[in-house]
Amino acid sequence: LALMIPDKLVAHYGIKKPKDRIVSLLNMHGSMDQRDILDKYNSTWRGGLTMQELRQLLRDKRFEKNGTIQFRTFTGRTKNRPIWRITA
């Protein structure tokens, strides 16, 4: 039994370089905050990233901050999380 997998998905999952994978994620899902990028990346590909590795990758000129969102930690503190997008 052969499965018919769309070419777009084959291309998405076949990407090898982490920066290109992040570009593909942002192309598919639009602007995302840093935690969502990390969670989606680690659930999609084996050999996931740490937050520090993701921060280093997002320094690339292909990405830019598109504002921040506020969230509340379980201790009650309010923190900001950056939203990233692909540069135009």
Side-chain angles (χ1 to χ4, degrees):
L1 182 74
L3 296 174
M4 299 300 294
I5 301 172
D7 292 337
K8 188 175 181 181
L9 286 178
V10 171
H12 178 69
Y13 290 111
I15 298 171
K16 301 290 183 199
K17 295 181 180 179
K19 284 183 189 176
D20 295 336
R21 289 176 174 177
I22 295 171
V23 168
S24 180
L25 273 176
L26 292 175
N27 277 333
M28 284 186 133
H29 300 286
S31 298
M32 297 173 72
D33 72 74
Q34 199 164 330
R35 174 55 72 182
D36 289 343
I37 294 171
L38 184 70
D39 291 342
K40 190 62 122 171
Y41 185 99
N42 289 341
S43 66
T44 304
W45 289 282
R46 289 187 306 173
L49 297 172
T50 64
M51 185 61 82
Q52 182 62 34
E53 291 170 331
L54 178 61
R55 283 189 201 116
Q56 293 296 324
L57 292 172
L58 290 173
R59 288 184 177 181
D60 190 86
K61 60 185 171 187
R62 290 185 274 183
F63 310 111
E64 67 181 3
K65 287 185 185 178
N66 188 26
T68 59
I69 60 168
Q70 284 191 341
F71 70 100
R72 189 172 300 272
T73 65
F74 68 94
T75 59
R77 291 184 175 177
T78 303
K79 294 190 174 189
N80 292 325
R81 192 180 289 161
I83 297 174
W84 292 90
R85 69 177 180 185
I86 298 173
T87 55

